Structure formats: structure tokens, C-alpha cells
Amino acid sequence: SRAVESQSEGQCAPVDSLWRRYSEFELLRNYLSVTYPHIVVPPLPEKRADFVWHKLSADNMDPDFVERRRIGLENFLLRVASHPVLCQDKIFYSFLTQEGGWKEMVNETGFQLKADSRLKALNATFRVKNPDKRFTELKHYSDELQSVISHLLRVRARVADRLYGVYKVHGNYGRVFSEWSAIEKEMGDGLQSAGHHMDVYAASIDDILEEEEHYADQLKEYLFYAEALRAVCRKHELMQYDLEMAAQDLTSKKQQCEELATGTVRTFSLKGMTSKLFGQETPEQREAKIKVLEEQIQEGEEQLKSKNLEGRDFVKSAWADIERFKEQKNHDLKEALISYAVMQISMCKKGIQVWTNAKECFSKM
């Protein structure tokens, strides 16, 4: 990593190198997700290979996979570093520059205490009465995006398997032409040359499909981005749920206060039945309770106002980041799909060239 501040002052900043484990990247991302709930935090690359063609190892210690994962982790850091808000985080800067004590620094922030439980998130999903239509639609979109990309990656893996088989079978042509050339005098050279072209073609598929995995990784990034989108939607649901619970609690306290002040009970309660059976409270007791309730109502109103402001700020910030993410997504996926198509065209041209060369060899026999 290189410090930008030193460069801006005209000095040559020293390059700092340090070791980070995958688990430390996970810790950094968890911290960013909890600390910036309104941001679509870039995802990490997969820990173990998935959606692979059969020759590529799914072993997470395979050197090729480890290198691809390293590239993915570097891309994650670049995504965070280019984000207008995340790039300014002090913990992220320490992750890049501080060898020791980084984990302790993260834990001292207490971000784990801010993390919402899954049970609470599930509760909010089913019990929110007035969900924001935009976030509901975004949640459905993220589910569909994940489904589409998963299907696309599975199709790609099947196509890659078939391509691998087709290319490798051309090696059989090479062997047969070579064996045939040994028993022919006039046709021998042509058959031998055609066989050589087939062998080269068959061998080229390994490099081609390994290059194709790079495009698959670009798609996988957005497969995992779908979960980051859902995380923002879940956080909004939780905020809406807390807001509705606070409003409900405030309404309940106002009703209790009114009932105590007027001496009428609107709704059935165990407390009301107890009063009827064992006598009413004294005026002093009632006044004391009314005073406590009025204080709680005042606190509740302030809390509700605060939650409303917090919710509006969250929606404004989250939607701005979602719009930024959409532009990034459209640009990245367009480039990835175009590159994938160009690669497929190149593969087809190689096939045409091989058979054109073979035709010339046959013509010279």
C-alpha cells in the first residue's frame, strides 16, 4: 500500500507490505457492514470454489484458485478504496498500513454490539406494518438478480465442460491423422500437418477456459453483491420496525395516562379487573402514576422524533448509495458480458482457422 498524502506533498512515499489472512478480510467487511448500514458494502470473493468446470480444481488450496481469490481480495480493497465514504474510514486505513494490533483496534470499536440479531431481523420482516415500497422492490430485485446470475454461472460451467470435451476430442483427430500418415507416401505430409494443427487446437482449451474463469469471477462478484443489497433492505426494515414499536408504545402510554386522569378504562386489562375487585387507587397514587407516565410520554415523543429523523437520514443516504451502486453494476456487467462475447468469438475464429489450415493441408496432398 502507498500513502496518498505523502505523494501530494511531493515526497516519494515508501511502499508498505504486510500479511493479511482471509479471516481478517472477513472481519474488516463485517465491521464496515455494521458501521455503515446504509452502504452497499463490496463483497468478498468466495472462500471455496463454486460454479467451476470439471477440470478446474474446487480445492480452496489449489494454486490457481488461491491466485484468483487473491485477485478478488485485491478487487475488494480497490472497491472500498474508491468508495466516497468507506475510503475515509480509519479502521480501513489501519488495515492497509498497520501490521500488529489491527484486530484489537477493530474490536475496541464495539461494532459487534451494534450488530442486529437474526431473530430480530426475521421478526422485523414479518411484523412491519408499513414497509417502504422502494426497499421492498429492491429486496425482490436482489433475490431475482442472485437467481439469474446463479443460473447463468451454472449454464456457463456446463458449456465450459462441453467445450473442453469438444476441444480435447480434436486431439483424437491429431492422433489418427498422425497414425494414418505413417502408412501413406503421397498423402503422409498433409495428414501429418493436419494432425499437428488438431493437437495445437486441443491443447489450447486449458488456457482459454482458465481465462474464462476471470469473467466468471466478475459475475460472481455481483452474485454476492445481491446479499449486500438485501442487508441494506433488512436494516431499513429493522429501523421501520423499531419506529413502529416506539409509536405503538407511546400510544399505549398516552391511553393509560388518559384512563388514569378520567378514571375510565377503555380496554380490558388485568389491572382494571384488580382495581374493581380490590378497590380504586388513592388520588395521590394516581397522581404519582400520571406524573411518571407523562415523563415517559415526553421521553417517548422525543425518541419517536429522533427515530423519524434517523429513518429519513438513512433512506436518503441509502438511496444515494444504491443509485451509485446501480451505475457501477450496469457498467461492470456490460463490460464483463462484452468481454465474454469477444472471447467466445475469438475461440470460434480459432476453430475456423484450424479447419482452414487442415483444408489447405488436405488440398496439398
Side-chain angles (χ1 to χ4, degrees):
S1 60
R2 188 186 295 273
V4 176
E5 288 81 1
S6 300
Q7 288 180 323
S8 62
E9 293 168 6
Q11 300 173 354
C12 184
V15 176
D16 293 323
S17 297
L18 44 82
W19 288 95
R20 292 291 183 220
R21 296 180 63 84
Y22 186 89
S23 58
E24 291 179 89
F25 280 87
E26 288 182 310
L27 180 61
L28 172 64
R29 190 181 183 280
N30 288 340
Y31 159 79
L32 292 174
S33 298
V34 172
T35 309
Y36 303 95
H38 60 282
I39 287 175
V40 185
V41 179
L44 294 172
E46 57 192 342
K47 194 168 186 177
R48 290 176 178 79
D50 200 2
F51 303 109
V52 296
W53 51 285
H54 79 277
K55 187 178 179 296
L56 192 68
S57 173
D59 179 13
N60 65 324
M61 296 307 291
D62 177 74
D64 291 333
F65 172 69
V66 170
E67 174 58 17
R68 280 177 40 237
R69 190 173 66 181
R70 185 200 64 75
I71 293 169
L73 291 170
E74 183 178 349
N75 184 60
F76 163 75
L77 292 178
L78 291 171
R79 292 282 196 201
V80 176
S82 63
H83 193 282
V85 176
L86 300 180
C87 70
Q88 300 177 47
D89 186 86
K90 291 180 181 179
I91 295 295
F92 173 59
Y93 182 76
S94 299
F95 179 88
L96 297 173
T97 57
Q98 190 168 320
E99 181 76 59
W102 177 79
K103 283 186 179 179
E104 290 74 15
M105 188 182 295
V106 180
N107 293 326
E108 282 172 8
T109 64
F111 80 94
Q112 294 98 332
L113 299 173
K114 299 177 188 175
D116 298 302
S117 69
R118 289 186 178 182
L119 183 62
K120 187 179 177 184
L122 190 66
N123 207 18
T125 301
F126 290 106
R127 294 183 64 182
V128 168
K129 295 176 183 177
N130 300 303
D132 189 311
K133 188 178 178 182
R134 291 179 301 172
F135 284 93
T136 303
E137 289 173 352
L138 184 66
K139 195 174 179 182
H140 290 322
Y141 169 76
S142 63
D143 290 339
E144 289 170 359
L145 179 66
Q146 190 172 46
S147 176
V148 167
I149 293 180
S150 295
H151 189 59
L152 185 62
L153 286 166
R154 289 190 183 94
V155 171
R156 187 209 66 85
R158 289 200 299 270
V159 169
D161 274 339
R162 291 187 182 184
L163 274 175
Y164 182 79
V166 168
Y167 269 66
K168 286 302 181 184
V169 166
H170 279 71
N172 294 342
Y173 278 131
R175 190 186 73 253
V176 171
F177 287 148
S178 181
E179 291 172 356
W180 190 5
S181 69
I183 62 170
E184 298 286 353
K185 290 184 179 179
E186 295 179 4
M187 296 171 59
D189 290 344
L191 290 168
Q192 185 70 37
S193 297
H196 172 71
H197 288 301
M198 295 299 168
D199 288 335
V200 171
Y201 185 62
S204 67
I205 191 62
D206 295 308
D207 292 336
I208 290 169
L209 289 183
E210 282 176 17
E211 180 191 344
E212 189 184 296
E213 283 299 314
H214 169 68
Y215 303 121
D217 288 339
Q218 289 178 306
L219 290 174
K220 285 178 188 177
E221 183 185 18
Y222 281 91
L223 180 73
F224 305 137
Y225 253 126
E227 177 54 35
L229 269 179
R230 280 198 295 272
V232 175
C233 295
R234 281 197 299 270
K235 185 61 184 177
H236 180 263
E237 283 179 341
L238 278 164
M239 294 185 77
Q240 183 65 23
Y241 177 68
D242 285 342
L243 179 67
E244 290 179 5
M245 289 298 102
Q248 188 177 317
D249 185 57
L250 181 62
T251 302
S252 175
K253 282 184 169 57
K254 283 182 176 179
Q255 186 176 322
Q256 288 177 44
C257 190
E258 186 184 341
E259 288 172 355
L260 283 169
T262 59
T264 58
V265 179
R266 293 184 181 181
T267 55
F268 171 80
S269 68
L270 183 62
K271 191 175 179 182
M273 287 297 294
T274 305
S275 298
K276 286 184 179 180
L277 290 170
F278 300 104
Q280 296 288 334
E281 296 168 319
T282 63
E284 291 80 11
Q285 288 175 322
R286 193 161 60 248
E287 285 296 324
K289 286 189 175 181
I290 288 172
K291 188 177 179 182
V292 169
L293 278 170
E294 284 174 344
E295 288 175 359
Q296 290 177 345
I297 287 168
Q298 188 176 351
E299 287 176 9
E301 285 176 340
E302 289 174 2
Q303 189 181 34
L304 191 63
K305 185 179 178 181
S306 173
K307 284 184 182 294
N308 267 311
L309 285 171
E310 185 185 358
R312 283 198 290 270
D313 288 343
F314 178 89
V315 170
K316 184 180 177 181
S317 301
W319 214 250
D321 196 65
I322 287 163
E323 290 299 323
R324 180 203 60 80
F325 165 76
K326 285 179 180 177
E327 287 183 18
Q328 172 196 300
K329 170 189 66 80
N330 294 344
H331 175 267
D332 291 348
L333 290 179
K334 179 182 175 181
E335 278 201 347
L337 292 170
I338 289 172
S339 298
Y340 183 72
V342 168
M343 194 201 70
Q344 294 291 337
I345 291 167
S346 176
M347 286 170 61
C348 293
K349 284 181 177 178
K350 282 183 181 178
I352 292 170
Q353 189 60 51
V354 163
W355 282 104
T356 302
N357 293 339
K359 179 187 173 185
E360 289 176 3
C361 293
F362 298 150
S363 299
K364 293 175 183 177
M365 290 192 305

